[in-house]
Amino acid sequence: MTEFLITSASALPQIAAQLLGWAGTRRKMAFYGEIGAGKTTFIQAICAQLGVCEAVVSPTFALAHEYTFLNAVGQEQHLYHLDLYRLQQQQEALDIGIEDMLYDDEVYCFIEWPELIETLLPEDTVRIKIEVLNNSERKIVFL
């Protein structure tokens, strides 16, 4: 477990870089936290660290967005950003092809509101909890 206390979003790029180093080869990440905790903002920082050039936005209504970036050797890599907040049943996640995203070792998969699919997550999924301490402070924990 690794824990950070932040007082400004300007700290997120450094924490995102540390998360990627801490995660190693693990590419599936589940983000937990209340509405407004900063899950999407943190995912934007992680995507920037990976080299995603597109604007990373919340997939609340689309459920999933796909992005690409070039890895260290110049090969195109894919990344999925999911927001499962609006789903009511696990079957809805299965219907959008979540198993393909979760079990493809070549892609990153960042999932906001993963509680509904907890039983589907690979064993080595990185879990990130973001806790709101007050208007400007957050505690970010890597599990």
Side-chain angles (χ1 to χ4, degrees):
M1 181 172 84
T2 301
E3 186 175 303
F4 299 90
L5 180 63
I6 65 165
T7 57
S8 167
S10 64
L12 291 177
Q14 180 183 4
I15 295 172
Q18 289 184 28
L19 171 63
L20 291 168
W22 184 82
T25 59
R26 298 182 289 171
R27 294 179 175 232
K28 309 311 179 239
M29 299 184 190
F31 294 80
Y32 301 83
E34 63 188 74
I35 290 176
K39 295 179 294 295
T40 299
T41 303
F42 190 38
I43 290 170
Q44 290 168 334
I46 298 165
C47 289
Q49 288 294 313
L50 289 170
V52 172
C53 295
E54 302 157 82
V56 175
V57 296
S58 175
T60 299
F61 296 103
L63 301 179
H65 288 160
E66 181 178 0
Y67 301 101
T68 59
F69 64 96
L70 298 179
N71 66 14
V73 295
Q75 296 173 318
E76 185 175 82
Q77 298 284 288
H78 293 270
L79 179 153
Y80 294 100
H81 177 194
L82 294 94
D83 184 327
L84 305 182
Y85 181 77
R86 296 184 316 118
L87 300 187
Q88 301 296 311
Q89 299 177 11
Q90 192 177 76
Q91 185 60 47
E92 293 173 283
L94 294 170
D95 291 345
I96 65 167
I98 198 158
E99 286 182 306
D100 292 336
M101 295 176 218
L102 289 175
Y103 292 97
D104 182 340
D105 293 336
E106 299 297 316
V107 302
Y108 279 92
C109 189
F110 301 150
I111 307 159
E112 298 185 45
W113 304 100
E115 292 83 356
L116 187 66
I117 60 149
E118 195 69 41
T119 59
L120 299 176
L121 294 175
E123 188 176 308
D124 66 346
T125 298
V126 176
R127 288 167 170 78
I128 298 99
K129 293 187 180 185
I130 304 175
E131 182 181 344
V132 176
L133 302 178
N134 61 45
N135 284 341
S136 62
E137 291 185 326
R138 303 289 190 268
K139 179 167 64 170
I140 301 175
V141 180
F142 305 163
L143 303 167

